[in-house]
C-alpha cells in the first residue's frame, strides 16, 4: 500500500535492567525504578503514548501479563489483515439500508493475491467498473469510497460513526455527495481510477491502515482533487490514525472537510495544499 498506511503501534523491545541512581553525597544509592522521579516520568509518558514502555521484566523475559497482552495484540493484527469485508452481517450492514452502500472488487481476486500483488489492489475489476459507473452519479463535489485496506477491523470500528457524520457535514456545507461504495482488497491507488471513472471534485478514500501492536483499528482518510491515472502520493493528502486514542471521528470529519475546502479553493491537492490544524480543524 502506498503512502503512510502504516503500523499504528510500536513494536516492544526488551527493556534493560533497572539502573541505580548515582550515589549521593551521603553515600547511599537510590533504586531508580522505585524512585518518585521514575514513577512521575512513567506517568507523564503513559499520558501521551500507548507505546509499550517501562514494561519491566522477569529475569530476561517479559512478565507473564505483558507477554500475553503482546501475543493477543499480535493475533488481533493478523486477524485484521486477513478478515473479509462484510456488508451483510457486520457493523457496516446498517449503512446498506441507510446509505445504499454496496461493495465491489478490486482487480485482486482474493486476499492472498491482494497481499502478494499490491498493483492489482490499485485497480477495479472490469465488473466493478461497470457497476460503479451504473450506480454512482458522476461529477459529485465529494465522492466517498470505503476500502478494506490492510485492516477490516479498522473499517468496521470507525466507518459506521464517521461516514454518516461526514456526509451530513458535507451536505450542510452545500457539497453534493456521490453514492458511497466499498471496494474489497483495496489500495490507495484506486483514487486515480475512481477519479477518472466518476469525475468528482474531491475523492475521499476511507481505508484500513496496516495494524500495529497498539491498535488494529486505525483508519486513514486519503483525499485527492480530481485524481487521474499517473497521480502519486505527492498529489494526495492524508489524515491518519483515526481511532478513539488518536484522531476521533468528529475531529476527522472537521479535518476532511477543511482539507476538501482548501483543495477546492486551490484547484489542486497534495504537497501544494497545507492542512489547517487550528482548533476548528481539530474539533476542539
Amino acid at each position: 500500500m502506498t503512502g503512510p498506511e502504516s503500523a499504528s503501534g510500536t513494536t516492544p523491545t526488551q527493556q534493560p535492567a533497572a539502573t541505580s541512581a548515582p550515589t549521593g553525597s551521603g553515600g547511599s544509592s537510590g533504586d531508580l525504578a522505585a524512585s518518585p522521579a521514575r514513577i512521575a516520568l512513567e506517568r507523564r509518558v503513559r499520558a501521551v503514548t500507548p507505546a509499550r514502555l517501562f514494561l519491566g521484566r522477569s529475569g530476561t523475559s517479559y512478565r507473564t501479563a505483558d507477554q500475553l497482552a503482546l501475543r493477543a495484540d499480535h493475533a488481533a493484527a493478523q486477524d485484521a489483515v486477513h478478515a473479509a469485508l462484510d456488508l451483510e452481517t457486520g457493523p457496516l450492514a446498517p449503512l446498506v439500508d441507510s446509505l445504499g452502500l454496496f461493495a465491489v472488487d478490486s482487480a485482486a481476486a482474493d486476499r492472498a493475491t491482494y497481499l502478494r500483488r499490491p498493483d492489482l489492489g490499485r485497480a477495479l475489476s472490469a465488473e466493478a467498473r461497470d457497476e460503479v459507473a451504473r450506480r454512482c452519479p458522476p461529477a459529485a463535489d465529494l465522492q466517498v469510497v470505503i476500502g478494506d485496506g490492510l485492516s477490516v477491523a479498522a473499517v468496521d470500528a470507525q466507518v459506521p460513526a464517521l461516514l454518516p457524520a461526514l456526509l451530513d457535514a458535507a451536505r450542510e456545507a452545500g457539497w453534493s455527495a456521490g453514492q458511497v461504495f466499498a471496494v474489497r482488497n483495496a489500495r490507495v491507488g484506486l483514487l486515480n481510477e475512481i477519479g477518472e471513472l466518476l469525475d468528482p471534485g474531491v475523492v475521499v478514500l476511507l481505508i484500513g491502515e496496516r495494524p500495529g501492536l497498539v491498535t488494529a483499528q486505525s483508519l486513514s482518510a486519503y483525499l485527492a482533487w480530481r485524481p487521474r491515472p499517473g497521480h502519486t502520493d505527492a498529489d494526495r493528502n492524508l489524515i491518519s490514525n483515526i481511532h478513539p486514542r488518536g484522531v476521533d471521528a468528529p475531529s476527522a470529519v472537521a479535518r476532511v472537510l477543511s482539507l476538501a475546502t482548501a483543495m477546492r479553493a486551490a484547484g489542486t491537492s497534495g504537497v501544494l495544499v497545507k492542512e489547517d490544524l487550528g482548533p476548528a480543524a481539530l474539533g476542539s
Side-chain angles (χ1 to χ4, degrees), residues 242-268:
I242 301 172
H243 59 89
R245 297 182 69 174
V247 179
D248 60 24
S251 297
V253 168
R255 290 176 64 180
V256 166
L257 283 184
S258 177
L259 266 175
T261 301
M263 291 175 182
R264 192 182 208 179
T268 188

Side-chain angles (χ1 to χ4, degrees), residues 52-68:
R52 284 178 165 83
L53 301 172
F54 306 113
L55 290 184
R57 62 177 187 163
S58 178
T60 59
S61 303
Y62 289 117
R63 292 174 294 189
T64 299
D66 294 328
Q67 179 66 20
L68 291 175

Side-chain angles (χ1 to χ4, degrees), residues 105-121:
D105 295 312
S106 74
D110 52 56
R111 201 66 178 170
T113 302
Y114 165 78
L115 294 173
R116 292 194 305 267
R117 293 283 306 274
D119 58 310
L120 296 179

Side-chain angles (χ1 to χ4, degrees), residues 1 81-85 103-115 117-125 146-150 152 182-188 190 207:
M1 188 176 286
V81 169
H82 293 285
L85 192 67
V104 296
D105 295 312
S106 74
D110 52 56
R111 201 66 178 170
T113 302
Y114 165 78
L115 294 173
R117 293 283 306 274
D119 58 310
L120 296 179
R122 301 182 188 118
L124 294 171
S125 68
I146 300 166
D148 51 6
L150 288 169
V152 170
V183 183
R184 289 179 286 259
N185 300 323
R187 301 276 181 175
V188 172
L190 278 170
I207 189 166

Side-chain angles (χ1 to χ4, degrees), residues 69-135:
L70 173 63
R71 293 179 65 180
D73 290 341
H74 186 259
Q78 288 184 311
D79 288 346
V81 169
H82 293 285
L85 192 67
D86 179 11
L87 299 190
E88 295 182 1
T89 60
L92 299 182
L95 301 181
V96 175
D97 293 330
S98 62
L99 299 177
L101 180 65
F102 67 96
V104 296
D105 295 312
S106 74
D110 52 56
R111 201 66 178 170
T113 302
Y114 165 78
L115 294 173
R116 292 194 305 267
R117 293 283 306 274
D119 58 310
L120 296 179
R122 301 182 188 118
L124 294 171
S125 68
E127 295 80 4
R129 282 183 64 91
D130 291 342
E131 186 169 2
V132 168
R134 177 173 56 85
R135 299 180 65 171

Side-chain angles (χ1 to χ4, degrees), residues 95 98-99 142 144 158-173 177 180 206 248-257:
L95 301 181
S98 62
L99 299 177
L142 185 73
V144 182
Q158 313 310 333
V159 168
L162 175 62
L163 178 59
L166 176 58
L167 295 177
D168 287 344
R171 294 187 182 104
E172 289 175 4
V180 182
L206 303 176
D248 60 24
S251 297
V253 168
R255 290 176 64 180
V256 166
L257 283 184

